[in-house]
Amino acid sequence: MVVTGSTWEAALDTDDRYLWLEDLDAPEAADWVSQRNAETVRALSGDGFTRLKDEIREVLDSKDRIPVPAWCGDGFYYDFWTDADHPRGLWRRTTAEQFRRDEPDWDVLLDVGALNRAENENWTWSGAIVLRPGYDRCLVKLARGGADAVVVREYDLTRRVFVEDGFTVPEAKTTVSWIDADTVFVATDFGPGSLTSSGYPRVVKRWRRGTPLAEAAEVFAGEADDVLITAVHDPAPGYERDFVVRRRDFYHTELYQIRPDGALARIEAPDDADCDVHRDWVLIQLRSPWTVGGETHPAGSLLATPFGRVEPTVLFRPDERTSLLSHTWTRDHLLLVTMADVRTRMEILTPDHPRWRRAPMPGGGGEFDHVWVVDTDPDHDNDFLLSSEGFLQPATLSLGTVGGDVTVLKQAPAFFDAAGMTVRQHFAVSADGTRVPYFVAGAGNGGPALLYGYGGFEVTMSPSYSGRTGRGWLARGGTWVLAGIRGGGEYGPAWHRAALRENRMKAYEDFAAVAADLVERGITTPDRLGALGGSNGGLLMGVMLTRYPELFGAIVAMVPLLDMRRYTKLLAGRSWIAEYGDPDDPADWAYLREFSPYQNVRPGRPYPPSLLLTSTRDDRVHPGHARKMAALLRELRYDTTYYENVEGGHGAAADNEQSATNWALTLEFLWRHLGGA
């Protein structure tokens, strides 16, 4: 593509001739996107694409899916539901008795589609915060086109109307928390100087009903280079407390209790630990070793200490094969989900000073199934909702109580025929000798295989059931592969830290090792192996394309991060410096430059076909990353395909129709290029 005129001159002022594509309001950039979208739809449309999209849409819209409910403390099961009749969704609730039925009688609280029609808007649902106690009001969060930025509006759950002159916050990356029926904490864009350099709130205020937002009383103000400041109210009966959270960067947080006189008291814990306050206890999950009371506790440990004192008891201590996946309070007990080689195990812990009693937790799944706690009501009881699912095993939702039985409430239907398919776990050996776990699901070896990975921000890749990829990939004869590379949380903080900043290449070496291992085991061949990832996983895909092209037959990057030279200048990019490094620091740029995909595109390389998919409304990872990469690849005559959905935020889709389109494009692209029959 040749750019002429003033735009080209502006591009020449920098070393980035496609900088103009970062301008979301520029007509020439919008025209470029429109042309690429049209080319992609023409290239991939046809009977196969249409059938695939219809099958995926049928899964997404199915009324046989099981709801994943939430508890708010009032005994109701809350759920947000989308289907063919309600593409923007219904926020609804039902009673515990009704929820047990095959077809519960749902009470619709808010119909987002009807709201859009009434207000001529394109709202998508971003959640609601119910007042506790009271349960008659909530703060609804609505996003335009699926963005991270939201509008907050107070809603009356009794009258089913937005409260006139109620708490309303204009569009911003806002956080809110009820204090009582007439007071909230709000952190938002209060005007110049009120946001951090990452674009999140720097100031949190206490706002009283009936007063202007501009006159709300400041509670705390952070520094410009902090990531985020917020405040929360703990409504636990008898333990009502207020806290300020200061996130200095992605992994360093300070937690303060707000005393009655307004002074702040720091909760004593390492600033890179995650802290959780419940009634008489503070839980501290360590990211690095901590020496206290003459004992050193390793990274990945979970400690409990009485609120207001530092007298830690070890609740979980990791080893080289195990890690803590989650911890969740009921009223009187703690539910632990741990992993051994990415296989989940569950345990119930009960404080019994000075020791904690331990017991196995019922309700687990099969060998490779993933089990997680859906919700509890820690203010009132010891019940819990539990979900279990696997690559070939649809989700089971169960209700249990500590010390009692676990009862199956819902069983999701199978959306594809898994007869003859198996799940296996293997370990690849990375360049430095590290064993890297991965799962393989499918009917056998030799066909097209799709390798998915993420490898960042301590996010764990675990087995899950997907009717979408089941129908669109497994049922067609493909193999699905999930890699647990370094940078993720599969083996706790050490696994994540091993690929931080200057060690980032370890994650990419791990993914390449899994790709090579798949070929060595005869599971697939390079020309039939595809790779897929999104967001940070999209960065992973960019590195695979530019550094390991010989390993793959096709690559798809969704909402990708690709230009590491400018990522801190785009939207929320500065909030990720702790993960990647700062390109404005010459020492950091020296290693970032080695893998930044946009800066490493070269002519004459054996790049496989690639698809870059993003969203105009993504206000987290700027669509300019994908746009510029596609333009540069096209300039060098590489086989690259580009598609940009106009809505969807960082999820790239605002409803099931858009999601089905994105996934049909993705899977059809891969199937064609990997030699699917």
Side-chain angles (χ1 to χ4, degrees):
M1 180 178 181
V2 176
V3 183
T4 60
S6 60
T7 302
W8 175 249
E9 294 301 321
L12 288 177
D13 290 338
T14 72
D15 59 358
D16 182 357
R17 58 185 169 277
Y18 292 112
L19 193 66
W20 57 278
L21 283 169
E22 292 180 5
D23 188 346
L24 298 181
D25 298 321
E28 58 266 45
D31 183 60
W32 183 92
V33 170
S34 179
Q35 292 179 43
R36 301 292 80 74
N37 282 355
E39 291 169 356
T40 297
V41 172
R42 283 196 303 269
L44 293 176
S45 62
D47 292 343
F49 168 81
T50 301
R51 285 194 300 270
L52 180 57
K53 179 184 171 183
D54 289 346
E55 288 187 358
I56 293 173
R57 181 68 189 268
E58 184 181 354
V59 171
L60 298 177
D61 284 342
S62 171
K63 289 180 167 59
D64 293 330
R65 301 179 348 260
I66 62 172
V68 181
W71 288 337
C72 295
D74 55 0
F76 288 107
Y77 284 63
Y78 287 79
D79 172 61
F80 185 73
W81 180 263
T82 60
D83 57 30
D85 299 325
H86 306 95
R88 289 296 166 120
L90 305 172
W91 188 41
R92 59 188 192 173
R93 69 185 181 188
T94 192
T95 64
E97 179 184 359
Q98 281 286 333
F99 189 80
R100 291 175 178 267
R101 300 183 179 183
D102 291 338
E103 296 184 6
D105 182 12
W106 288 98
D107 178 12
V108 175
L109 302 173
L110 185 63
D111 182 333
V112 179
L115 180 66
N116 281 339
R117 292 188 292 274
E119 299 185 348
N120 193 28
E121 275 284 2
N122 66 330
W123 298 124
T124 57
W125 181 255
S126 289
I129 304 165
V130 176
L131 174 65
R132 306 175 64 155
Y135 311 105
D136 59 340
R137 297 286 179 93
C138 66
L139 299 170
V140 168
K141 296 183 290 183
L142 300 167
R144 289 186 171 91
D148 284 355
V150 298
V151 170
V152 178
R153 297 164 66 178
E154 186 178 0
Y155 192 73
D156 188 319
L157 289 170
T158 303
R159 297 189 297 123
R160 311 297 166 83
V161 294
F162 287 103
V163 178
E164 187 176 356
D165 298 326
F167 292 114
T168 302
V169 187
E171 188 174 34
K173 294 184 178 180
T174 300
T175 64
V176 288
S177 174
W178 288 104
I179 301 173
D180 56 42
D182 294 314
T183 322
V184 298
F185 287 124
V186 58
T188 190
D189 184 351
F190 293 106
S194 67
L195 298 180
T196 67
S197 55
S198 298
Y200 295 99
R202 185 184 68 83
V203 178
V204 62
K205 298 185 179 184
R206 182 183 283 105
W207 185 18
R208 299 192 184 280
R209 184 179 300 281
T211 64
L213 177 58
E215 296 178 8
E218 183 175 298
V219 175
F220 184 80
E223 301 296 328
D225 285 338
D226 289 341
V227 169
L228 170 71
I229 304 297
T230 190
V232 294
H233 174 72
D234 180 358
Y239 295 88
E240 294 85 352
R241 292 170 290 213
D242 297 321
F243 297 93
V244 163
V245 181
R246 178 191 182 195
R247 290 192 75 168
R248 290 174 31 230
D249 64 29
F250 215 87
Y251 304 110
H252 292 83
T253 301
E254 298 170 1
L255 179 64
Y256 298 88
Q257 182 184 6
I258 306 173
R259 290 177 171 165
D261 62 359
L264 301 182
R266 176 85 181 266
I267 304 299
E268 190 171 348
D271 63 2
D272 65 344
D274 286 332
C275 293
D276 172 32
V277 177
H278 175 71
R279 298 169 70 83
D280 297 312
W281 297 97
V282 178
L283 297 186
I284 303 171
Q285 187 172 354
L286 299 179
R287 279 200 177 94
S288 60
W290 187 34
T291 300
V292 58
E295 183 178 0
T296 299
H297 304 283
S301 298
L302 180 67
L303 311 178
T305 186
F307 187 85
R309 305 197 304 273
V310 182
E311 300 170 1
T313 298
V314 177
L315 304 184
F316 174 81
R317 186 185 299 271
D319 58 35
E320 62 180 10
R321 293 183 57 247
T322 64
S323 63
L324 176 63
L325 183 61
S326 68
H327 58 273
T328 309
W329 282 103
T330 68
R331 186 181 187 280
D332 304 301
H333 307 272
L334 185 67
L335 313 179
L336 292 190
V337 181
T338 62
M339 292 192 304
D341 284 330
V342 206
R343 305 183 194 185
T344 50
R345 305 290 184 267
M346 300 183 297
E347 195 173 15
I348 299 172
L349 276 65
T350 305
D352 187 11
H353 193 74
R355 300 179 181 275
W356 288 59
R357 291 183 281 112
R358 316 178 81 94
M361 184 173 168
E367 181 183 12
F368 296 123
D369 289 353
H370 176 64
V371 184
W372 55 287
V373 178
V374 175
D375 211 349
T376 61
D377 184 3
D379 289 349
H380 298 110
D381 58 41
N382 294 309
D383 292 347
F384 55 87
L385 286 169
L386 204 64
S387 181
S388 172
E389 63 184 300
F391 294 111
L392 309 179
Q393 178 61 47
T396 298
L397 181 69
S398 302
L399 171 66
T401 189
V402 176
D405 295 330
V406 173
T407 304
V408 173
L409 294 178
K410 306 284 183 184
Q411 175 71 57
F415 286 108
F416 62 95
D417 185 359
M421 298 182 189
T422 61
V423 177
R424 296 160 281 168
Q425 186 182 42
H426 298 298
F427 294 84
V429 179
S430 194
D432 63 358
T434 300
R435 294 172 75 246
V436 181
Y438 69 93
F439 293 99
V440 179
N445 297 342
L450 182 52
L451 173 58
Y452 185 88
Y454 188 78
F457 297 94
E458 207 173 327
V459 174
T460 298
M461 295 289 100
S462 52
S464 63
Y465 186 85
S466 171
R468 178 190 60 212
T469 52
R471 282 195 178 184
W473 193 257
L474 292 174
R476 299 168 79 182
T479 298
W480 177 262
V481 186
L482 183 67
I485 63 177
R486 280 176 285 186
E490 288 78 5
Y491 292 103
W495 195 248
H496 170 235
R497 193 166 50 250
L500 270 181
R501 296 173 58 89
E502 66 271 14
N503 296 316
R504 199 76 197 172
M505 280 302 301
K506 298 298 183 185
Y508 309 137
E509 291 169 356
D510 288 359
F511 197 80
V514 173
D517 200 62
L518 289 167
V519 173
E520 184 176 339
R521 292 180 186 273
I523 293 172
T524 192
T525 56
D527 62 320
R528 308 204 80 186
L529 176 59
L532 171 65
S535 191
N536 172 75
L539 170 60
L540 170 65
M541 295 302 104
V543 176
M544 292 303 108
L545 181 71
T546 54
R547 293 187 68 96
Y548 299 95
E550 70 283 352
L551 296 178
F552 303 97
I555 291 176
V556 177
M558 305 176 104
V559 290
L561 188 68
L562 295 167
D563 181 358
M564 302 307 289
R565 187 71 183 92
R566 285 184 49 77
Y567 87 92
T568 56
K569 297 174 174 60
L570 299 172
L571 300 175
R574 287 197 63 83
S575 65
W576 311 321
I577 286 177
E579 179 79 10
Y580 301 120
D582 186 352
D584 292 331
D585 181 332
D588 288 2
W589 178 239
Y591 65 78
L592 286 164
R593 180 66 178 78
E594 292 301 306
F595 65 79
S596 179
Y598 187 58
Q599 281 74 29
N600 278 280
V601 173
R602 299 287 183 270
R605 296 294 307 279
Y607 294 163
S610 61
L611 168 63
L612 305 178
L613 189 150
T614 189
S615 164
T616 311
R617 288 289 294 169
D618 189 345
D619 56 352
R620 193 180 313 173
V621 175
H622 196 289
H625 286 277
R627 291 178 177 185
K628 297 194 302 180
M629 187 74 168
L632 184 56
L633 290 170
R634 283 171 54 84
E635 176 190 330
L636 297 177
R637 307 299 183 190
Y638 287 115
D639 184 354
T640 189
T641 303
Y642 183 86
Y643 186 76
E644 182 173 316
N645 187 32
V646 295
E647 289 189 310
H650 195 50
D655 56 35
N656 289 347
E657 171 67 18
Q658 295 174 17
S659 183
T661 297
N662 290 346
W663 278 99
L665 289 172
T666 296
L667 297 176
E668 182 69 9
F669 170 86
L670 288 163
W671 197 253
R672 292 186 187 185
H673 285 290
L674 300 178

